[in-house]
Amino acid sequence: IHRRTVVFLSRLHPKKNLELLFDAWSIVQRRLPDTELLIAGDGDPAYVRLLRTYASHLGSSVTFLGHVEGFKKQEVFHRSDLFVLPSQHENFGIAVIEALAAGIPVVVTPEVQLSTFVLRHSLGVVTQASAVTLADSIQRALGDDELSSRCREQGAALVARHFSLESVGESLDLMYRYAIAHSPV
């Protein structure tokens, strides 16, 4: 039997809202006991200890992986069914792009800058920051086979189209040309 896997991959910091994720995870676990949550990332050791203590009641359904990069990061994405980032503030969210490029649907809060991209291209769920709505969103995304297929089939191409070096370079070039042409004299 396939154990569904949700991954959080980011720096471990209070603004990432991991306590909320753990509160939501206790609800997810009651509804979907065959799921696991991977926490990939590192942060201030005192805060990481606090998070481990906070999540200890969730038992073996939560695994702290520490910092992952390179092949290990790709391996984590490969074994995951869903990426979650319930951040209170995220200027961009490179891990969201990495998850989508790996073909994984995402659940994010509106405070994650890429939430509009996620909505525009139907690549996941944008949810409010409450334990119940986050749990509902995780459960809904895990059960949405169409969403999973769409992300597997289109995620990498959409990321390449909108966030490749060439794409971003063209956008910056247009922006600078516009600024130069319309500069106040």
Short mmCIF file of all heavy atoms in Angstrom, two decimals, residues 24-83:
data_model
loop_
_atom_site.label_atom_id
_atom_site.label_comp_id
_atom_site.label_asym_id
_atom_site.label_seq_id
_atom_site.Cartn_x
_atom_site.Cartn_y
_atom_site.Cartn_z
N ALA A 24 -2.57 21.32 11.91
CA ALA A 24 -3.35 20.79 10.79
C ALA A 24 -3.04 19.31 10.58
O ALA A 24 -3.94 18.51 10.27
CB ALA A 24 -3.06 21.57 9.51
N TRP A 25 -1.78 18.94 10.76
CA TRP A 25 -1.39 17.55 10.52
C TRP A 25 -2.09 16.59 11.48
O TRP A 25 -2.42 15.47 11.10
CB TRP A 25 0.13 17.40 10.60
CG TRP A 25 0.54 16.08 10.05
CD1 TRP A 25 1.01 15.00 10.72
CD2 TRP A 25 0.46 15.68 8.67
NE1 TRP A 25 1.23 13.95 9.86
CE2 TRP A 25 0.90 14.36 8.59
CE3 TRP A 25 0.05 16.33 7.51
CZ2 TRP A 25 0.95 13.65 7.40
CZ3 TRP A 25 0.09 15.63 6.30
CH2 TRP A 25 0.53 14.31 6.26
N SER A 26 -2.34 17.03 12.70
CA SER A 26 -3.05 16.15 13.63
C SER A 26 -4.46 15.85 13.11
O SER A 26 -4.97 14.74 13.28
CB SER A 26 -3.08 16.73 15.04
OG SER A 26 -3.85 17.91 15.09
N ILE A 27 -5.07 16.81 12.43
CA ILE A 27 -6.40 16.60 11.82
C ILE A 27 -6.26 15.68 10.61
O ILE A 27 -7.05 14.73 10.44
CB ILE A 27 -7.02 17.96 11.40
CG1 ILE A 27 -7.24 18.84 12.63
CG2 ILE A 27 -8.32 17.74 10.64
CD1 ILE A 27 -7.58 20.30 12.31
N VAL A 28 -5.27 15.94 9.77
CA VAL A 28 -5.03 15.09 8.59
C VAL A 28 -4.82 13.64 9.04
O VAL A 28 -5.37 12.71 8.44
CB VAL A 28 -3.82 15.59 7.76
CG1 VAL A 28 -3.44 14.60 6.68
CG2 VAL A 28 -4.10 16.97 7.16
N GLN A 29 -4.04 13.44 10.08
CA GLN A 29 -3.74 12.10 10.56
C GLN A 29 -4.99 11.35 11.02
O GLN A 29 -5.09 10.14 10.80
CB GLN A 29 -2.73 12.17 11.72
CG GLN A 29 -1.31 12.15 11.26
CD GLN A 29 -0.97 10.85 10.57
OE1 GLN A 29 -0.82 9.83 11.22
NE2 GLN A 29 -0.85 10.88 9.26
N ARG A 30 -5.91 12.06 11.64
CA ARG A 30 -7.16 11.40 12.06
C ARG A 30 -7.98 10.97 10.85
O ARG A 30 -8.60 9.92 10.86
CB ARG A 30 -7.99 12.34 12.95
CG ARG A 30 -7.45 12.45 14.37
CD ARG A 30 -8.46 13.08 15.31
NE ARG A 30 -8.81 14.45 14.97
CZ ARG A 30 -8.13 15.53 15.34
NH1 ARG A 30 -7.01 15.40 16.04
NH2 ARG A 30 -8.54 16.73 15.01
N ARG A 31 -7.96 11.79 9.81
CA ARG A 31 -8.74 11.50 8.61
C ARG A 31 -8.03 10.52 7.67
O ARG A 31 -8.68 9.70 7.02
CB ARG A 31 -9.02 12.79 7.84
CG ARG A 31 -9.83 13.81 8.60
CD ARG A 31 -9.91 15.07 7.78
NE ARG A 31 -10.60 16.16 8.45
CZ ARG A 31 -10.63 17.39 7.97
NH1 ARG A 31 -10.04 17.69 6.84
NH2 ARG A 31 -11.27 18.33 8.64
N LEU A 32 -6.72 10.68 7.54
CA LEU A 32 -5.92 9.88 6.60
C LEU A 32 -4.70 9.31 7.33
O LEU A 32 -3.59 9.80 7.19
CB LEU A 32 -5.44 10.76 5.44
CG LEU A 32 -6.48 11.52 4.62
CD1 LEU A 32 -5.83 12.52 3.68
CD2 LEU A 32 -7.34 10.52 3.83
N PRO A 33 -4.91 8.26 8.10
CA PRO A 33 -3.81 7.74 8.91
C PRO A 33 -2.65 7.16 8.10
O PRO A 33 -1.57 6.95 8.64
CB PRO A 33 -4.47 6.67 9.79
CG PRO A 33 -5.77 6.38 9.17
CD PRO A 33 -6.17 7.56 8.34
N ASP A 34 -2.86 6.96 6.81
CA ASP A 34 -1.80 6.39 5.96
C ASP A 34 -0.93 7.47 5.31
O ASP A 34 -0.37 7.26 4.25
CB ASP A 34 -2.42 5.51 4.88
CG ASP A 34 -3.28 6.31 3.90
OD1 ASP A 34 -3.86 7.33 4.31
OD2 ASP A 34 -3.38 5.91 2.72
N THR A 35 -0.81 8.63 5.95
CA THR A 35 -0.01 9.72 5.40
C THR A 35 1.20 9.99 6.29
O THR A 35 1.18 9.70 7.49
CB THR A 35 -0.83 11.02 5.27
OG1 THR A 35 -1.40 11.32 6.55
CG2 THR A 35 -1.92 10.89 4.24
N GLU A 36 2.23 10.56 5.66
CA GLU A 36 3.40 10.97 6.42
C GLU A 36 3.78 12.38 6.01
O GLU A 36 3.53 12.80 4.88
CB GLU A 36 4.57 10.02 6.22
CG GLU A 36 5.16 10.03 4.84
CD GLU A 36 6.37 9.13 4.68
OE1 GLU A 36 7.11 8.91 5.65
OE2 GLU A 36 6.58 8.64 3.56
N LEU A 37 4.39 13.10 6.94
CA LEU A 37 4.84 14.47 6.71
C LEU A 37 6.34 14.51 6.87
O LEU A 37 6.87 14.14 7.93
CB LEU A 37 4.17 15.42 7.71
CG LEU A 37 4.61 16.88 7.70
CD1 LEU A 37 4.31 17.53 6.34
CD2 LEU A 37 3.93 17.65 8.82
N LEU A 38 7.02 14.96 5.82
CA LEU A 38 8.47 15.12 5.87
C LEU A 38 8.79 16.60 6.06
O LEU A 38 8.26 17.44 5.34
CB LEU A 38 9.11 14.63 4.57
CG LEU A 38 8.83 13.19 4.16
CD1 LEU A 38 9.48 12.89 2.81
CD2 LEU A 38 9.30 12.22 5.24
N ILE A 39 9.63 16.89 7.02
CA ILE A 39 10.07 18.26 7.27
C ILE A 39 11.53 18.34 6.86
O ILE A 39 12.42 17.81 7.53
CB ILE A 39 9.91 18.65 8.77
CG1 ILE A 39 8.47 18.45 9.24
CG2 ILE A 39 10.40 20.07 9.00
CD1 ILE A 39 7.45 19.32 8.54
N ALA A 40 11.77 18.98 5.71
CA ALA A 40 13.13 19.12 5.19
C ALA A 40 13.57 20.57 5.36
O ALA A 40 12.90 21.47 4.87
CB ALA A 40 13.17 18.71 3.72
N GLY A 41 14.65 20.76 6.06
CA GLY A 41 15.17 22.10 6.28
C GLY A 41 15.82 22.17 7.65
O GLY A 41 15.69 21.26 8.45
N ASP A 42 16.50 23.27 7.86
CA ASP A 42 17.16 23.47 9.13
C ASP A 42 17.02 24.93 9.53
O ASP A 42 16.62 25.76 8.73
CB ASP A 42 18.64 23.08 9.00
CG ASP A 42 19.21 22.56 10.31
OD1 ASP A 42 18.50 22.60 11.34
OD2 ASP A 42 20.37 22.13 10.30
N GLY A 43 17.34 25.20 10.75
CA GLY A 43 17.24 26.56 11.26
C GLY A 43 17.96 26.69 12.57
O GLY A 43 18.79 25.84 12.92
N ASP A 44 17.64 27.72 13.32
CA ASP A 44 18.23 27.92 14.63
C ASP A 44 18.01 26.68 15.49
O ASP A 44 16.87 26.21 15.62
CB ASP A 44 17.58 29.15 15.29
CG ASP A 44 18.09 29.36 16.69
OD1 ASP A 44 19.26 29.71 16.85
OD2 ASP A 44 17.29 29.14 17.64
N PRO A 45 19.08 26.10 16.05
CA PRO A 45 18.93 24.85 16.81
C PRO A 45 17.88 24.90 17.92
O PRO A 45 17.15 23.93 18.13
CB PRO A 45 20.33 24.61 17.37
CG PRO A 45 21.24 25.31 16.41
CD PRO A 45 20.47 26.52 15.95
N ALA A 46 17.78 26.02 18.63
CA ALA A 46 16.78 26.13 19.70
C ALA A 46 15.37 26.06 19.12
O ALA A 46 14.48 25.41 19.70
CB ALA A 46 16.98 27.42 20.49
N TYR A 47 15.16 26.71 17.98
CA TYR A 47 13.84 26.68 17.35
C TYR A 47 13.52 25.28 16.81
O TYR A 47 12.40 24.80 16.93
CB TYR A 47 13.73 27.74 16.25
CG TYR A 47 12.36 27.79 15.62
CD1 TYR A 47 11.24 28.13 16.37
CD2 TYR A 47 12.18 27.46 14.28
CE1 TYR A 47 9.98 28.16 15.81
CE2 TYR A 47 10.91 27.48 13.71
CZ TYR A 47 9.82 27.84 14.48
OH TYR A 47 8.57 27.86 13.93
N VAL A 48 14.51 24.62 16.24
CA VAL A 48 14.30 23.26 15.72
C VAL A 48 13.93 22.32 16.88
O VAL A 48 13.02 21.50 16.74
CB VAL A 48 15.54 22.76 14.95
CG1 VAL A 48 15.38 21.30 14.56
CG2 VAL A 48 15.78 23.63 13.71
N ARG A 49 14.60 22.48 18.03
CA ARG A 49 14.24 21.66 19.20
C ARG A 49 12.80 21.93 19.63
O ARG A 49 12.04 21.00 19.95
CB ARG A 49 15.19 21.93 20.37
CG ARG A 49 16.52 21.21 20.26
CD ARG A 49 17.33 21.26 21.55
NE ARG A 49 17.63 22.61 22.02
CZ ARG A 49 18.63 23.37 21.55
NH1 ARG A 49 19.42 22.91 20.61
NH2 ARG A 49 18.82 24.57 22.04
N LEU A 50 12.41 23.20 19.62
CA LEU A 50 11.05 23.58 19.96
C LEU A 50 10.05 22.91 19.01
O LEU A 50 9.03 22.37 19.44
CB LEU A 50 10.90 25.10 19.92
CG LEU A 50 9.52 25.66 20.25
CD1 LEU A 50 9.25 25.56 21.74
CD2 LEU A 50 9.43 27.11 19.79
N LEU A 51 10.35 22.95 17.71
CA LEU A 51 9.47 22.32 16.72
C LEU A 51 9.37 20.81 16.94
O LEU A 51 8.27 20.24 16.85
CB LEU A 51 9.96 22.59 15.30
CG LEU A 51 9.80 24.01 14.78
CD1 LEU A 51 10.47 24.15 13.41
CD2 LEU A 51 8.33 24.41 14.71
N ARG A 52 10.48 20.17 17.20
CA ARG A 52 10.47 18.72 17.44
C ARG A 52 9.60 18.38 18.66
O ARG A 52 8.85 17.41 18.63
CB ARG A 52 11.89 18.19 17.62
CG ARG A 52 12.67 18.13 16.33
CD ARG A 52 14.10 17.64 16.60
NE ARG A 52 14.86 17.51 15.40
CZ ARG A 52 14.93 16.41 14.65
NH1 ARG A 52 14.26 15.34 15.00
NH2 ARG A 52 15.66 16.39 13.56
N THR A 53 9.71 19.19 19.69
CA THR A 53 8.89 18.98 20.88
C THR A 53 7.41 19.20 20.56
O THR A 53 6.55 18.40 20.94
CB THR A 53 9.34 19.94 22.02
OG1 THR A 53 10.70 19.67 22.32
CG2 THR A 53 8.48 19.76 23.26
N TYR A 54 7.13 20.28 19.82
CA TYR A 54 5.75 20.61 19.45
C TYR A 54 5.12 19.49 18.63
O TYR A 54 3.93 19.19 18.77
CB TYR A 54 5.74 21.93 18.65
CG TYR A 54 4.37 22.55 18.50
CD1 TYR A 54 3.90 23.44 19.45
CD2 TYR A 54 3.56 22.25 17.41
CE1 TYR A 54 2.65 24.02 19.33
CE2 TYR A 54 2.30 22.82 17.28
CZ TYR A 54 1.85 23.71 18.24
OH TYR A 54 0.61 24.27 18.12
N ALA A 55 5.91 18.86 17.77
CA ALA A 55 5.40 17.81 16.87
C ALA A 55 5.49 16.41 17.47
O ALA A 55 5.02 15.46 16.85
CB ALA A 55 6.17 17.85 15.56
N SER A 56 6.04 16.28 18.66
CA SER A 56 6.30 14.95 19.21
C SER A 56 5.02 14.12 19.39
O SER A 56 5.05 12.89 19.24
CB SER A 56 7.05 15.05 20.54
OG SER A 56 6.27 15.74 21.50
N HIS A 57 3.89 14.76 19.65
CA HIS A 57 2.63 14.02 19.82
C HIS A 57 2.15 13.40 18.50
O HIS A 57 1.25 12.56 18.50
CB HIS A 57 1.56 14.92 20.42
CG HIS A 57 1.03 15.94 19.46
ND1 HIS A 57 1.73 17.10 19.14
CD2 HIS A 57 -0.12 15.99 18.74
CE1 HIS A 57 1.03 17.80 18.26
NE2 HIS A 57 -0.09 17.16 18.00
N LEU A 58 2.74 13.79 17.38
CA LEU A 58 2.33 13.26 16.07
C LEU A 58 3.05 11.96 15.73
O LEU A 58 2.75 11.32 14.72
CB LEU A 58 2.57 14.31 14.99
CG LEU A 58 1.76 15.60 15.19
CD1 LEU A 58 2.28 16.70 14.28
CD2 LEU A 58 0.28 15.34 14.96
N GLY A 59 3.99 11.57 16.57
CA GLY A 59 4.67 10.29 16.44
C GLY A 59 5.42 10.12 15.13
O GLY A 59 5.98 11.07 14.58
N SER A 60 5.37 8.90 14.62
CA SER A 60 6.15 8.55 13.44
C SER A 60 5.55 9.09 12.14
O SER A 60 6.11 8.87 11.07
CB SER A 60 6.31 7.03 13.34
OG SER A 60 5.04 6.43 13.16
N SER A 61 4.43 9.80 12.21
CA SER A 61 3.85 10.36 10.99
C SER A 61 4.62 11.60 10.52
O SER A 61 4.43 12.05 9.40
CB SER A 61 2.37 10.71 11.18
OG SER A 61 2.23 11.87 11.99
N VAL A 62 5.50 12.14 11.39
CA VAL A 62 6.31 13.30 11.04
C VAL A 62 7.78 12.91 11.16
O VAL A 62 8.21 12.38 12.18
CB VAL A 62 6.02 14.50 11.97
CG1 VAL A 62 6.96 15.66 11.66
CG2 VAL A 62 4.58 14.94 11.83
N THR A 63 8.53 13.20 10.11
CA THR A 63 9.97 12.93 10.10
C THR A 63 10.72 14.20 9.78
O THR A 63 10.44 14.86 8.77
CB THR A 63 10.32 11.85 9.03
OG1 THR A 63 9.56 10.68 9.29
CG2 THR A 63 11.80 11.53 9.05
N PHE A 64 11.66 14.56 10.64
CA PHE A 64 12.54 15.70 10.40
C PHE A 64 13.77 15.19 9.66
O PHE A 64 14.49 14.33 10.16
CB PHE A 64 12.96 16.34 11.73
CG PHE A 64 11.89 17.18 12.36
CD1 PHE A 64 10.89 16.60 13.13
CD2 PHE A 64 11.88 18.56 12.20
CE1 PHE A 64 9.91 17.36 13.72
CE2 PHE A 64 10.90 19.35 12.79
CZ PHE A 64 9.90 18.75 13.55
N LEU A 65 14.00 15.71 8.46
CA LEU A 65 15.10 15.26 7.62
C LEU A 65 16.35 16.13 7.75
O LEU A 65 17.42 15.73 7.30
CB LEU A 65 14.68 15.24 6.15
CG LEU A 65 13.49 14.36 5.79
CD1 LEU A 65 13.12 14.56 4.32
CD2 LEU A 65 13.79 12.91 6.09
N GLY A 66 16.21 17.32 8.31
CA GLY A 66 17.32 18.26 8.32
C GLY A 66 17.48 18.89 6.95
O GLY A 66 16.60 18.78 6.09
N HIS A 67 18.60 19.54 6.74
CA HIS A 67 18.88 20.22 5.47
C HIS A 67 19.07 19.18 4.37
O HIS A 67 19.79 18.21 4.56
CB HIS A 67 20.12 21.08 5.61
CG HIS A 67 20.51 21.76 4.35
ND1 HIS A 67 19.84 22.87 3.88
CD2 HIS A 67 21.48 21.48 3.44
CE1 HIS A 67 20.39 23.25 2.73
NE2 HIS A 67 21.39 22.43 2.45
N VAL A 68 18.41 19.37 3.25
CA VAL A 68 18.61 18.50 2.09
C VAL A 68 18.96 19.35 0.88
O VAL A 68 18.48 20.47 0.74
CB VAL A 68 17.37 17.61 1.79
CG1 VAL A 68 17.08 16.67 2.93
CG2 VAL A 68 16.15 18.45 1.46
N GLU A 69 19.80 18.82 0.02
CA GLU A 69 20.16 19.52 -1.21
C GLU A 69 20.55 18.49 -2.26
O GLU A 69 20.72 17.30 -1.96
CB GLU A 69 21.28 20.52 -0.97
CG GLU A 69 22.57 19.92 -0.46
CD GLU A 69 23.63 20.97 -0.14
OE1 GLU A 69 23.30 22.05 0.37
OE2 GLU A 69 24.80 20.66 -0.40
N GLY A 70 20.67 18.96 -3.48
CA GLY A 70 21.13 18.12 -4.58
C GLY A 70 20.29 16.87 -4.77
O GLY A 70 19.06 16.92 -4.79
N PHE A 71 20.98 15.73 -4.89
CA PHE A 71 20.31 14.46 -5.15
C PHE A 71 19.31 14.12 -4.04
O PHE A 71 18.21 13.63 -4.32
CB PHE A 71 21.34 13.33 -5.30
CG PHE A 71 20.71 11.99 -5.53
CD1 PHE A 71 20.15 11.67 -6.76
CD2 PHE A 71 20.66 11.05 -4.51
CE1 PHE A 71 19.55 10.44 -6.97
CE2 PHE A 71 20.06 9.82 -4.70
CZ PHE A 71 19.50 9.51 -5.95
N LYS A 72 19.67 14.39 -2.80
CA LYS A 72 18.78 14.09 -1.66
C LYS A 72 17.47 14.88 -1.78
O LYS A 72 16.39 14.36 -1.53
CB LYS A 72 19.51 14.41 -0.34
CG LYS A 72 18.67 14.17 0.88
CD LYS A 72 18.47 12.71 1.18
CE LYS A 72 17.82 12.56 2.54
NZ LYS A 72 17.25 11.26 2.75
N LYS A 73 17.58 16.15 -2.21
CA LYS A 73 16.37 16.96 -2.39
C LYS A 73 15.50 16.36 -3.50
O LYS A 73 14.28 16.25 -3.34
CB LYS A 73 16.74 18.40 -2.73
CG LYS A 73 15.52 19.32 -2.83
CD LYS A 73 15.84 20.67 -3.40
CE LYS A 73 16.66 21.52 -2.50
NZ LYS A 73 16.81 22.92 -3.00
N GLN A 74 16.11 15.97 -4.59
CA GLN A 74 15.35 15.36 -5.69
C GLN A 74 14.68 14.07 -5.24
O GLN A 74 13.55 13.78 -5.61
CB GLN A 74 16.26 15.12 -6.90
CG GLN A 74 16.78 16.39 -7.54
CD GLN A 74 15.68 17.42 -7.80
OE1 GLN A 74 14.64 17.12 -8.37
NE2 GLN A 74 15.91 18.65 -7.37
N GLU A 75 15.37 13.32 -4.43
CA GLU A 75 14.83 12.08 -3.88
C GLU A 75 13.60 12.36 -3.01
O GLU A 75 12.59 11.65 -3.09
CB GLU A 75 15.93 11.40 -3.05
CG GLU A 75 15.63 10.00 -2.64
CD GLU A 75 16.83 9.42 -1.89
OE1 GLU A 75 16.91 9.61 -0.64
OE2 GLU A 75 17.70 8.82 -2.55
N VAL A 76 13.68 13.40 -2.18
CA VAL A 76 12.55 13.78 -1.32
C VAL A 76 11.35 14.17 -2.19
O VAL A 76 10.23 13.73 -1.94
CB VAL A 76 12.95 14.92 -0.35
CG1 VAL A 76 11.73 15.52 0.32
CG2 VAL A 76 13.93 14.41 0.69
N PHE A 77 11.59 15.01 -3.21
CA PHE A 77 10.49 15.39 -4.10
C PHE A 77 9.92 14.16 -4.81
O PHE A 77 8.71 14.03 -4.96
CB PHE A 77 10.94 16.43 -5.12
CG PHE A 77 11.02 17.83 -4.58
CD1 PHE A 77 12.10 18.65 -4.87
CD2 PHE A 77 10.01 18.35 -3.78
CE1 PHE A 77 12.17 19.95 -4.39
CE2 PHE A 77 10.07 19.64 -3.28
CZ PHE A 77 11.15 20.45 -3.59
N HIS A 78 10.78 13.27 -5.25
CA HIS A 78 10.33 12.08 -5.98
C HIS A 78 9.41 11.20 -5.14
O HIS A 78 8.45 10.63 -5.66
CB HIS A 78 11.54 11.26 -6.47
CG HIS A 78 11.17 10.04 -7.22
ND1 HIS A 78 10.64 10.08 -8.50
CD2 HIS A 78 11.20 8.73 -6.87
CE1 HIS A 78 10.38 8.85 -8.90
NE2 HIS A 78 10.71 8.01 -7.93
N ARG A 79 9.65 11.13 -3.85
CA ARG A 79 8.81 10.26 -3.00
C ARG A 79 7.58 10.98 -2.44
O ARG A 79 6.77 10.39 -1.74
CB ARG A 79 9.63 9.61 -1.90
CG ARG A 79 10.01 10.52 -0.75
CD ARG A 79 10.84 9.78 0.27
NE ARG A 79 10.04 9.37 1.41
CZ ARG A 79 10.54 9.18 2.61
NH1 ARG A 79 11.82 9.32 2.84
NH2 ARG A 79 9.75 8.82 3.61
N SER A 80 7.44 12.28 -2.75
CA SER A 80 6.35 13.06 -2.19
C SER A 80 5.17 13.20 -3.15
O SER A 80 5.35 13.27 -4.36
CB SER A 80 6.86 14.46 -1.81
OG SER A 80 7.86 14.36 -0.82
N ASP A 81 3.99 13.25 -2.57
CA ASP A 81 2.75 13.42 -3.34
C ASP A 81 2.25 14.86 -3.31
O ASP A 81 1.42 15.24 -4.13
CB ASP A 81 1.65 12.51 -2.76
CG ASP A 81 2.04 11.06 -2.81
OD1 ASP A 81 2.13 10.52 -3.93
OD2 ASP A 81 2.28 10.46 -1.74
N LEU A 82 2.74 15.65 -2.34
CA LEU A 82 2.23 17.00 -2.15
C LEU A 82 3.28 17.81 -1.41
O LEU A 82 3.96 17.30 -0.53
CB LEU A 82 0.94 16.96 -1.33
CG LEU A 82 0.21 18.27 -1.07
CD1 LEU A 82 -0.35 18.85 -2.37
CD2 LEU A 82 -0.93 18.06 -0.07
N PHE A 83 3.39 19.10 -1.79
CA PHE A 83 4.27 20.03 -1.11
C PHE A 83 3.39 21.04 -0.38
O PHE A 83 2.39 21.50 -0.92
CB PHE A 83 5.14 20.76 -2.15
CG PHE A 83 5.97 21.87 -1.58
CD1 PHE A 83 7.23 21.60 -1.05
CD2 PHE A 83 5.51 23.17 -1.57
CE1 PHE A 83 8.01 22.62 -0.52
CE2 PHE A 83 6.27 24.20 -1.03
CZ PHE A 83 7.52 23.92 -0.51
#
